[in-house]
Amino acid sequence: MKRHPVVIVLRTFVLVVFVVLLCKTFVVTSCTIPSTGMENGLYKGERVLVNKWSYGLRLPFSTKRWCAREAKSGDVIVFNNPNPRDNTISIYNRDVFVSRCKGAPGDTLMLNDGLTITNDEVFSPDIKSFYLYPLEEEKELLPVLNKLGINEQTLVGYQDGNYIRNLSHYECYLIRQELKGKINLTPLYKEDTLESHPFVIPKKGFTVKVYPWNVKLLCNTISRHEGKRASVRNDMLYVDGYPISFYTFTKDYYWMTSDNPVNISDSRLFGLVPDTHLIGKVGRVWFSTRGGRLFKSVR
């Protein structure tokens, strides 16, 4: 029996819609660049194709993945807002952001007080260095060392009217915080003069040490994404009411940045991004009002 042309058109239309929805759900999706944060690589209003299998397929209405794998530093990633005003909104229903990954799980970044990545060489905060301070300030320093539990035997000599102590970056940070600038601890060597601190990007099953400079970031991450009660009191991290010096994370996290340095709508604002929020890696531009941008590969 010959089918009516209208029936054929309708069946074709339904089949096309079904295939498109299937591809959008399980293979690739489209995203509109929402802001100027990624200029000059991506421009506001452009539409890009996003590979949903880049880091393993996130199942519909779920945060579980098939064939899960880590994103790499340098990837341009689409993800759901990790810090919405209303935390009751399901992850997959939240706003969509686009940023570049600059810190993968287990990486160590050097960040300044504004949480901006610096070019300082990555170091361990427990490595010892030499610091100078005036001889007459010894009486004021000793009680602080005792309070912080730092061995007085760190004194190793003197030079040009200054004592020299062998302290770690962490110990020096604690002393400066306690004295609030009353004593000027000056690095003996210029390479030890740093305006940034090492931040370890949490990795699933990885234990991160709590320092005064990362305590707020860790606290926010634990309370938002780890499902625990966390707070900070006097630079000490409390989880479920207990003070802790180390924390073992249950998810992989990422540090995201904007290509446009003026735009701070990135991890400096919303913090670490859990792997459960990743949608996929940006592939190509499929719509743009700018010449020469059509099907341009995104790197």
Side-chain angles (χ1 to χ4, degrees):
M1 180 178 178
K2 190 175 180 179
R3 293 186 176 87
H4 194 280
V6 174
V7 174
I8 295 175
V9 170
L10 286 175
R11 291 185 65 178
T12 303
F13 176 76
V14 171
L15 180 61
V16 169
V17 170
F18 175 75
V19 171
V20 169
L21 289 176
L22 196 66
C23 288
K24 186 175 181 180
T25 303
F26 293 103
V27 182
V28 66
T29 189
S30 173
C31 172
T32 301
I33 305 303
S35 70
T36 61
M38 293 303 293
E39 293 184 355
N40 293 315
L42 291 170
Y43 295 91
K44 183 177 180 180
E46 289 186 333
R47 297 175 187 175
V48 295
L49 295 176
V50 180
N51 182 356
K52 302 186 79 171
W53 281 91
S54 302
Y55 313 118
L57 178 67
R58 191 173 70 176
L59 301 179
F61 310 109
S62 172
T63 56
K64 294 183 179 179
R65 293 183 184 277
W66 283 341
C67 304
R69 52 187 174 274
E70 290 183 7
K72 296 180 181 178
S73 181
D75 288 356
V76 177
I77 299 175
V78 173
F79 56 95
N80 295 107
N81 183 1
N83 186 31
R85 292 182 179 179
D86 184 0
N87 285 320
T88 63
I89 299 175
S90 300
I91 294 173
Y92 41 81
N93 286 326
R94 296 178 184 177
D95 292 337
V96 172
F97 292 167
V98 181
S99 294
R100 187 179 299 278
C101 173
K102 280 298 181 101
D107 287 350
T108 300
L109 302 178
M110 296 297 289
L111 305 179
N112 62 20
D113 291 340
L115 297 183
T116 298
I117 297 174
T118 68
N119 293 322
D120 292 329
E121 184 179 351
V122 175
F123 69 98
S124 167
D126 297 313
I127 289 179
K128 299 283 187 175
S129 299
F130 295 111
Y131 294 87
L132 304 172
Y133 61 94
L135 296 174
E136 59 270 17
E137 294 180 348
E138 174 74 353
K139 290 183 179 180
E140 191 166 0
L141 181 61
L142 286 176
V144 174
L145 296 180
N146 291 327
K147 180 180 178 179
L148 297 174
I150 298 174
N151 193 333
E152 293 183 16
Q153 301 305 314
T154 54
L155 182 64
V156 295
Y158 62 92
Q159 178 183 31
D160 299 328
N162 295 298
Y163 275 135
I164 302 174
R165 280 193 180 273
N166 191 18
L167 302 167
S168 70
H169 181 76
Y170 177 41
E171 290 171 335
C172 186
Y173 182 92
L174 293 177
I175 293 170
R176 286 170 172 163
Q177 291 289 97
E178 186 69 27
L179 290 170
K180 301 184 185 335
K182 293 179 182 177
I183 295 179
N184 183 24
L185 288 171
T186 305
L188 181 61
Y189 304 110
K190 288 184 178 180
E191 56 266 30
D192 294 325
T193 305
L194 297 173
E195 295 182 355
S196 56
H197 306 288
F199 285 74
V200 176
I201 309 302
K203 183 180 178 69
K204 184 177 180 179
F206 190 82
T207 300
V208 176
K209 186 174 180 179
V210 180
Y211 292 104
W213 57 81
N214 70 4
V215 65
K216 291 183 179 178
L217 180 63
L218 296 184
C219 176
N220 291 338
T221 304
I222 293 167
S223 60
R224 289 175 189 166
H225 308 301
E226 294 281 313
K228 295 182 180 293
R229 293 182 295 107
S231 60
V232 177
R233 304 175 214 164
N234 298 321
D235 285 337
M236 175 65 71
L237 178 60
Y238 286 77
V239 176
D240 290 337
Y242 296 95
I244 63 170
S245 299
F246 297 87
Y247 184 83
T248 302
F249 285 84
T250 62
K251 300 176 183 178
D252 286 334
Y253 290 87
Y254 296 88
W255 188 263
M256 303 293 188
T257 65
S258 302
D259 281 0
N260 182 354
V262 177
N263 190 305
I264 64 167
S265 185
D266 54 22
S267 284
R268 291 173 291 178
L269 181 65
F270 51 66
L272 292 160
V273 179
D275 58 350
T276 52
H277 288 55
L278 304 188
I279 297 173
K281 181 180 178 181
V282 176
R284 293 181 181 272
V285 176
W286 71 266
F287 174 82
S288 179
T289 57
R290 295 171 177 264
R293 299 281 298 168
L294 195 61
F295 298 115
K296 184 177 178 62
S297 179
V298 178
R299 291 187 175 87

